Amino acid sequence: MRYGYFDRKNKEYVITRPDTPTPWINYIGSGAYGGIVSNTGGGYSFHKDPQNRRVTRYRYNNIPMDRPGRYIYIRDKETGEYWNPGYQPVQRKLDSYSCRHGMGYTVLAGEYRGVVGEVTYFVPDNKDFEIWHLKVSNTRAVAQKLQVFAYAEFCFWQAIMDQQNVDWVQQINQGRFEDGIITYYPHYISDNAAFFATAEEVGSYDTNLEAFMGKYRSEGNPLAVEQGGCSNSISYRMNGVGAFCMDVDLGAREEKEIVFILGFAEDRKNIKADIGAYLTPENSKAALDRLKAYWKNYTGKLSVETPDEDMNLFVNIWNQYQCKTTFNWSRFVSLYQLGLGRGMGIRDSAQDTLGVMHAIPGEAKELITKLLQCQYTDGRAYHLFFPLTGEGGQGDAPVKLFDWYSDDHLWLILAVNAYVKETGDFGFLNQSVLYNDKTTSATVLEHLDMALNFTNNNRGPNNIALAGRADWNDTLNLDTGKGIAESVFTSMLYCRAAAELIELCGYLGKQELCEKYQGMFDEMRNAINESSWDGEWYKRAFDDCGQPIGSRENKFGKIFINSQSWAVLGRVADAEKASKCMESVGRYLNSKFGIVAMYPSYTEYDDTKGGVTTYPPGAKENGGIFLHTNPWVMIAEIILGHGDRAFEYYSQILPGKRNDDAELYEVEPYVYCQNILGKEHPQFGVGRNSWLSGTAAWNMVAASQYILGIRAGYDRLVVDPCIPSKWQGFKATRKFRGVIYNIEVQNPNRVSCGVSKIIVDGAEVEKIPVFKAGTAHHVVVVMK
Ligand code: GLC
């Protein structure tokens, strides 16, 4: 069943029925102030950090689901009937409804009895506030007397305290109204505040939740709306809201626009000045146009025209957009990660930079620098950090002996190398950056060297990487207190990281470092091949008793995905092993909705494996389709030259393909989700944890850099496609170091990979050079 469609021209996804199987959300804001907006107006806002600076509330695990939110109520003064343009929370059946999720904005539009309410939510110019731009139109030939209510429920800054210490929180917060601005002070003595404002004449207002709602009512039938007016409540304790009521009398076919602004202010005295430039409908519209221009420019850094429309849709719009969101929020705040405990993940954010590198390398560098500051002087790293306070830690995974994950620090090497390739900013490698002790500093290159050294210094009985608390797979907790469990995956990631450092130092002529890393690489590669080849695939790990995991010897968990793809990505497998292990992935792990994480799933709890065995068979890391891992398989297939197979893997998980199947899929068809229940689960095919997943960045990398083969090199742009053999070719535009490359790939002999010649501006060349910034060039790549 369909709930909506892609509007390709306007770069929007349009939802046409409000009762989606889960809230289908969008993000507003650019990583500082912002929030989540669902297709019925549900969601919440925060400033920089959803745990420590929450602006509005959200009730998790709630039925009716997805409340509260940013609500507009429209009331007919004559009949007393009221409704919402976004359907919730009143749930009056609308004569028409739509939700348009665009890049950085959402438009909800509903019509009831000749009145259309349309509200656009967005954050203007990276400010610390959001605009709700409301348009109310009377489509009839007779006048209508209406009232508009706008409503937001405030939250105490510390969202956990808001739930935990009601005694304290509800005695110290207060609300005020003055001059069109409602201010909410979580701490009544503090200068900072949340606010809700309008320049429109306010008929009445409420700052207290109980007064607006009535104590035994809900958002679906608030007392104030039912009575046709707020009670001008000043909140001296309990729960704060921002609620306005104003009369809107519309003549025949007349319309009216009202701007509301919700946000955060460091100093409550400055609110009026801060928002002054945005309160008129004209200024608000101009700000929305600027936002759209920002996204046009952002997505314009890479645009492709391939024979596959779904690929074009995702590479050009939705995948790029999702990558920016994961870059902003890592795995911190979504409908599934509640913005409470997790913070920004080090491994997650390092990988997220790969998905935005082509578009905003400067911002990626800033984030990478923060991540390097999360490293201990011995080279390992925090597992997560909180952006507002800069504090970091290891999170709450089970820990027996180790206080580190075996992989976090290694991803930094991949991120830095990608940054240097994109920008040619080799100076960054010499930049001095503090470690997390905040006193010792080292150059970026030294940080990377320490990262590699840390793993090298922490190896187990098979001479491969110790498992620590876990590796990329958070739920594989193998350490039972002996401290000898090993991760084959981390060892392969280490090989990849070492290979990237060899490439980088080779380019820079740092011969000594090259030799050092080559030695480290060779030793680890040999140790993996000696201990971990299982005949048809690579084992995944060794437990704390030295027993293999992911081996044909095991009853459950015989084969895992990551130690196959990374055997290729890490250059660990020779040609024969590589093709065998990738074939095993296809044979044992693939399914119509994607490749599962391992097979067969564990059926009972096992302390020697930990978290993975707590999930039912087929869920999440226990045999679910953990989508983040799928693009690694695509990349591995491409490295082996298998363009057709890689494209099948790419296509089968494109979210847009599940648009007609949304009843089963449940989550948004315009972004990748983190996991889909696997073939051993009774609900095979159901998606969960939409939006924040490394799936976004890695599919972007797989699609653009490997399938289409357009990637940055230290001194060149590389175009080395590995496409479906039936393609005649494709076109792309890539902005690289300020140069526009208009690329045309021709595939006259219908091959998958291999380039026979490169022609730049009419002349055949060996490599595509970096031209002078500001110029445009035509590149033709002819395949073999
Ligand atoms: C979640 C975590 C990520 C981890 C993955 C697999 O997505 O955020 O860090 O790698 O799960 O366990």
Side-chain angles (χ1 to χ4, degrees):
M1 178 176 306
R2 272 171 181 260
Y3 290 84
Y5 62 92
F6 291 93
D7 177 342
R8 288 167 200 253
K9 187 166 152 278
N10 290 308
K11 301 182 177 168
E12 293 171 336
Y13 186 84
V14 188
I15 299 163
T16 49
R17 359 182 338 185
D19 57 336
T20 48
T22 57
W24 285 8
I25 64 163
N26 193 10
Y27 284 77
I28 56 172
S30 62
Y33 178 92
I36 287 169
V37 188
S38 82
N39 58 306
T40 60
Y44 52 103
S45 297
F46 42 87
H47 176 242
K48 291 190 178 162
D49 180 336
Q51 174 171 282
N52 297 305
R53 195 63 76 57
R54 188 73 69 111
V55 172
T56 59
R57 270 195 190 136
Y58 195 71
R59 281 182 266 289
Y60 315 107
N61 301 332
N62 196 46
I63 291 288
M65 72 178 181
D66 193 24
R67 291 189 186 181
R70 302 167 180 83
Y71 294 137
I72 298 290
Y73 298 84
I74 297 176
R75 181 175 184 272
D76 184 320
K77 269 208 293 205
E78 271 152 27
T79 64
E81 268 189 317
Y82 54 91
W83 52 282
N84 313 103
Y87 176 68
Q88 279 250 64
V90 174
Q91 301 184 349
R92 186 173 299 282
K93 193 170 176 327
L94 301 172
D95 298 329
S96 76
Y97 156 90
S98 71
C99 163
R100 307 183 80 95
H101 285 318
M103 285 182 273
Y105 69 92
T106 287
V107 187
L108 296 180
E111 177 168 359
Y112 185 66
R113 300 216 164 150
V115 176
V116 178
E118 183 193 279
V119 53
T120 306
Y121 304 100
F122 67 101
V123 173
D125 301 326
N126 299 338
K127 292 284 179 188
D128 287 343
F129 48 80
E130 66 194 61
I131 289 179
W132 307 6
H133 188 126
L134 175 68
K135 186 158 89 185
V136 188
S137 323
N138 177 9
T139 65
R140 295 203 169 150
V142 288
Q144 305 223 43
K145 287 189 185 321
L146 307 168
Q147 285 178 311
V148 163
F149 292 76
Y151 173 82
E153 181 177 334
F154 293 119
C155 185
F156 191 70
W157 292 152
Q158 279 84 27
I160 296 175
M161 279 298 164
D162 192 61
Q163 300 297 307
Q164 235 175 26
N165 198 342
V166 169
D167 167 36
W168 178 59
V169 165
Q170 297 201 345
Q171 291 288 357
I172 66 166
N173 79 86
Q174 294 204 340
R176 294 285 187 277
F177 171 77
E178 200 187 333
D179 210 5
I181 302 174
I182 288 170
T183 25
Y184 168 76
Y185 320 140
H187 301 267
Y188 86 105
I189 46 170
S190 64
D191 288 336
N192 61 24
F195 65 87
F196 195 38
T198 181
E200 190 65 23
E201 194 182 331
V202 175
S204 57
Y205 64 87
D206 273 312
T207 71
N208 179 268
L209 172 69
E210 289 76 5
F212 177 83
M213 206 71 80
K215 289 189 178 170
Y216 290 94
R217 289 167 173 260
S218 77
E219 296 93 351
N221 61 347
L223 190 63
V225 181
E226 193 170 292
Q227 288 177 349
C230 298
S231 59
N232 297 347
S233 59
I234 297 296
S235 194
Y236 292 109
R237 46 185 280 282
M238 298 299 283
N239 299 291
V241 294
F244 292 121
C245 167
M246 51 262 299
D247 284 347
V248 176
D249 293 339
L250 294 178
R253 308 208 191 284
E254 200 186 347
E255 62 180 42
K256 182 170 177 70
E257 290 176 75
I258 306 175
V259 174
F260 298 97
I261 299 189
L262 172 73
F264 163 82
E266 209 62 74
D267 188 336
R268 60 205 200 200
K269 288 197 293 298
N270 299 336
I271 298 172
K272 211 177 165 87
D274 289 348
I275 63 175
Y278 295 90
L279 279 165
T280 64
E282 294 69 37
N283 289 354
S284 155
K285 261 187 230 142
L288 182 62
D289 288 343
R290 288 196 292 278
L291 181 72
K292 289 183 180 170
Y294 166 83
W295 278 107
K296 191 164 182 232
N297 179 43
Y298 184 105
T299 52
K301 302 272 170 61
L302 174 69
S303 65
V304 304
E305 226 178 285
T306 77
D308 192 283
E309 281 300 330
D310 290 320
M311 180 184 214
N312 298 345
L313 184 65
F314 273 78
V315 172
N316 292 339
I317 306 172
W318 291 99
N319 196 177
Q320 291 210 49
Y321 180 50
Q322 184 179 5
C323 284
K324 178 64 169 38
T325 309
T326 60
F327 174 76
N328 290 345
W329 295 115
S330 188
R331 312 294 169 267
F332 197 1
V333 59
S334 71
L335 280 189
Y336 309 89
Q337 293 112 344
L338 304 181
L340 298 175
R342 293 178 57 126
M344 307 281 285
I346 308 304
R347 80 154 78 91
D348 297 325
S349 287
Q351 293 172 77
D352 293 341
T353 64
L354 305 178
V356 301
M357 201 59 88
H358 66 285
I360 46 167
E363 286 171 53
K365 174 187 175 180
E366 271 173 47
L367 181 59
I368 292 170
T369 309
K370 282 189 196 154
L371 301 178
L372 292 165
Q373 287 164 350
C374 290
Q375 244 182 316
Y376 295 81
T377 49
D378 65 6
R380 82 202 134 105
Y382 285 147
H383 189 55
L384 48 85
F385 76 101
F386 291 91
L388 192 66
T389 59
E391 282 164 20
Q394 293 296 354
D396 54 6
V399 51
K400 304 243 167 55
L401 199 63
F402 296 106
D403 63 350
W404 44 267
Y405 288 77
S406 60
D407 65 322
D408 275 308
H409 50 283
L410 293 171
W411 297 105
L412 297 170
I413 298 172
L414 275 59
V416 170
N417 195 28
Y419 167 75
V420 172
K421 282 186 176 168
E422 183 63 39
T423 57
D425 174 13
F426 294 98
F428 181 54
L429 300 170
N430 301 324
Q431 192 176 308
S432 166
V433 175
L434 286 169
Y435 284 101
N436 67 5
D437 65 2
K438 297 192 168 49
T439 47
T440 318
S441 65
T443 67
V444 169
L445 194 56
E446 285 162 353
H447 274 262
L448 304 188
D449 184 66
M450 287 310 291
L452 207 63
N453 289 344
F454 181 80
T455 301
N456 193 41
N457 295 337
N458 285 278
R459 287 185 283 156
N462 292 299
N463 250 330
I464 64 170
L466 282 177
R469 279 180 168 203
D471 57 28
W472 172 90
N473 185 335
D474 280 332
T475 65
L476 208 52
N477 315 119
L478 305 176
D479 165 38
T480 57
K482 290 197 194 124
I484 61 159
E486 294 168 303
S487 164
V488 176
F489 163 78
T490 297
S491 311
M492 292 170 165
L493 172 62
Y494 168 96
C495 284
R496 171 77 192 200
E500 295 209 12
L501 283 178
I502 295 166
E503 189 193 14
L504 176 62
C505 293
Y507 181 76
L508 294 175
K510 293 182 186 292
Q511 207 41 46
E512 229 171 86
L513 279 177
C514 265
E515 278 162 25
K516 170 181 163 182
Y517 299 138
Q518 188 67 52
M520 289 163 93
F521 172 87
D522 290 344
E523 202 186 330
M524 186 67 92
R525 181 180 193 265
N526 292 341
I528 298 171
N529 279 310
E530 268 162 37
S531 61
S532 311
W533 178 247
D534 201 56
E536 271 185 273
W537 59 80
Y538 282 91
K539 295 168 190 163
R540 175 63 175 80
F542 293 90
D543 69 16
D544 228 11
C545 297
Q547 294 305 308
I549 285 170
S551 157
R552 62 194 154 162
E553 289 169 35
N554 297 118
K555 184 163 172 218
F556 302 107
K558 282 177 183 293
I559 170 169
F560 282 67
I561 191 170
N562 285 351
S563 42
Q564 318 320 320
S565 51
W566 280 87
V568 180
L569 269 76
R571 303 178 197 175
V572 171
D574 60 26
E576 194 195 327
K577 288 195 177 87
S579 80
K580 262 196 189 159
C581 72
M582 293 314 295
E583 262 167 36
S584 296
V585 169
R587 185 167 319 128
Y588 301 111
L589 301 179
N590 195 27
S591 78
K592 65 175 175 177
F593 295 128
I595 312 166
V596 297
M598 46 80 90
Y599 185 80
S601 310
Y602 298 106
T603 57
E604 54 191 50
Y605 181 65
D606 178 349
D607 190 39
T608 64
K609 317 218 164 33
V612 61
T613 61
T614 62
Y615 284 108
K620 295 269 281 194
E621 287 93 335
N622 190 22
I625 301 161
F626 213 98
L627 281 179
H628 187 153
T629 62
N630 281 219
W632 292 334
V633 174
M634 298 164 205
I635 295 171
E637 290 291 2
I638 285 167
I639 293 172
L640 302 182
H642 303 152
D644 287 308
R645 196 179 301 165
F647 199 79
E648 276 166 35
Y649 289 148
Y650 175 73
S651 258
Q652 73 187 8
I653 62 163
L654 270 174
K657 302 249 188 246
R658 302 292 303 270
N659 198 45
D660 295 344
D661 176 31
E663 198 83 354
L664 171 64
Y665 189 48
E666 292 198 357
V667 287
E668 297 90 324
Y670 42 89
V671 287
Y672 288 99
C673 62
Q674 180 213 58
N675 70 88
I676 299 174
L677 293 169
K679 55 188 179 175
E680 293 175 273
H681 195 283
Q683 291 179 306
F684 178 40
V686 173
R688 263 300 175 274
N689 287 29
S690 56
W691 282 92
L692 299 188
S693 164
T695 315
W698 280 104
N699 269 301
M700 194 66 212
V701 170
S704 60
Q705 299 185 28
Y706 287 88
I707 297 176
L708 303 180
I710 305 170
R711 52 183 182 261
Y714 298 120
D715 59 354
R716 69 191 69 188
L717 182 71
V718 178
V719 181
D720 182 17
C722 188
I723 53 179
S725 48
K726 64 171 194 241
W727 283 13
Q728 282 180 28
F730 65 89
K731 286 187 182 155
T733 302
R734 170 74 151 88
K735 290 191 186 147
F736 175 58
R737 300 194 196 169
V739 182
I740 300 173
Y741 293 90
N742 293 308
I743 302 163
E744 199 186 319
V745 171
Q746 299 168 356
N747 186 16
N749 301 319
R750 300 291 190 276
V751 296
S752 268
C753 53
V755 168
S756 71
K757 62 178 168 199
I758 307 172
I759 302 157
V760 175
D761 298 331
E764 196 168 336
V765 292
E766 283 295 303
K767 61 166 195 174
I768 305 168
V770 180
F771 291 103
K772 195 165 164 294
T775 58
H777 301 272
H778 191 239
V779 178
V780 178
V781 171
V782 185
M783 297 182 68
K784 285 208 166 112

